[in-house]
Amino acid sequence: MCQHQPPCPTADSADRESARLAAHHPEQGWSLLCNGVLLFEDTGELLPDGQIIAPHRPLATGRVVTAA
């Protein structure tokens, strides 16, 4: 699928999110990567084989939660 040199990481690679953008639609909340991965603004992913990767945003930092 990828025509770049060096080629982008495949959809099953751990670093799949570093592939180049093929299409970007921020108004709709998604981007298509060169390797066929649909990347959503909530950090969820849909792989070309239909596998769903749950959103994996980092937890908020600098906020302390205490029990009452």
Side-chain angles (χ1 to χ4, degrees):
M1 181 179 272
C2 177
Q3 303 297 319
H4 303 110
Q5 289 301 323
C8 291
T10 62
D12 58 351
S13 297
D15 60 346
R16 65 181 155 259
E17 295 174 14
S18 64
R20 293 186 189 188
L21 287 173
H24 183 59
H25 294 278
E27 72 283 358
Q28 296 176 359
W30 62 271
S31 297
L32 175 64
L33 302 180
C34 181
N35 56 8
V37 173
L38 275 173
L39 182 62
F40 297 96
E41 69 180 13
D42 69 354
T43 69
E45 300 171 25
L46 180 60
L47 303 185
D49 65 1
Q51 182 181 357
I52 297 169
I53 306 296
H56 47 278
R57 286 186 175 164
L59 297 175
T61 59
R63 183 174 160 215
V64 177
V65 178
T66 58

